Amino acid sequence: MRTSWIGACVVGLALTLPLAAGCNRNKGEDASAEPQAAGAQAALVEERDEGKLEWVVEPDGAVRVKVTPNEGTVPVTGALLIEGESFALSGEDGSLAATGPKLTAELTTITYSLKVGDSTWEGALHVPPGGTADLVAAPSVTVPEGTKGPNGGVVDVVGDQRVEMVVDEKTGEVRVYLLDENLQPIPVGDATAVAAFAQQEAQQ
């Protein structure tokens, strides 16, 4: 098995990685925006081995998801778990919706379980108060793909903050560094981090 980092966003002082998936559940590509997906608002796209999920979560708690399985059109049902409460998803043709509580915490975890044909798709979203719109907004800061930080990790942009993430493969320890425009570490203050990974079978 191999482990890959899925994606990231910054919410105020909270450093978060928005998607989580278990073994062989997510291909590990960064979430991306598709402006026409799941309604007028840009969607947070989760690529999976079995197909694709396009999520829109509004600040008022409204959730929409478009399920596109690789096998074609199949019945889709499901439910969300938010703050310990279950919310049924309803809809047809793979487009489901539910209304949960208003997003007020720095980071709200939305766990989902979908029945897609004969398969079960499970995972979680970690959403800031602004909903998925905050996760897919184009950052004002960019770095060239593959840029390495001073600690040997790959540099990514989280919100408008340059971030270096370093994983010690021997101990499993994860370190997150906030970097300035010169790619040098800066004080993190009260920042906290939530990391989400996907384990996947190594390619033969």
Side-chain angles (χ1 to χ4, degrees):
M1 306 290 284
R2 65 182 174 83
T3 301
S4 60
W5 178 25
I6 295 181
C9 76
V10 152
V11 186
L13 293 178
L15 173 63
T16 71
L17 304 188
L19 298 180
C23 181
N24 203 30
R25 288 183 189 154
N26 190 295
K27 291 184 179 179
E29 288 90 347
D30 288 348
S32 59
E34 290 194 2
Q36 302 306 317
Q41 186 186 128
L44 184 71
V45 179
E46 181 183 353
E47 297 283 353
R48 302 173 57 100
D49 291 339
E50 314 96 320
K52 179 171 66 175
L53 298 172
E54 301 164 77
W55 294 95
V56 171
V57 182
E58 305 277 5
D60 64 3
V63 179
R64 302 193 305 277
V65 59
K66 174 66 175 177
V67 183
T68 307
N70 295 334
E71 60 189 284
T73 303
V74 297
V76 181
T77 59
L80 307 174
L81 185 65
I82 308 173
E83 298 179 357
E85 186 175 356
S86 180
F87 299 88
L89 287 159
S90 61
E92 56 185 18
D93 299 327
S95 294
L96 305 177
T99 300
K102 182 178 179 180
L103 304 177
T104 57
E106 281 190 343
L107 191 66
T108 297
T109 298
I110 301 176
T111 303
Y112 65 84
S113 179
L114 304 175
K115 187 68 173 178
V116 184
D118 295 327
S119 301
T120 299
W121 298 10
E122 296 180 329
L125 305 173
H126 305 286
V127 188
T132 49
D134 282 358
L135 300 179
V136 299
S140 60
V141 173
T142 60
V143 295
E145 185 175 355
T147 297
K148 290 293 185 71
N151 302 287
V154 175
V155 178
D156 202 347
V157 175
V158 177
D160 292 323
Q161 174 65 59
R162 299 169 184 86
V163 173
E164 177 188 11
M165 186 172 181
V166 180
V167 180
D168 188 318
E169 294 184 357
K170 293 182 178 179
T171 65
E173 182 181 57
V174 178
R175 290 183 176 271
V176 178
Y177 300 88
L178 306 186
L179 307 178
D180 62 19
E181 64 274 14
N182 298 313
L183 302 184
Q184 294 303 306
I186 60 176
V188 299
D190 295 328
T192 58
V194 176
F197 298 87
Q199 287 187 318
Q200 299 170 327
E201 295 179 357
Q203 298 295 321
Q204 299 296 325

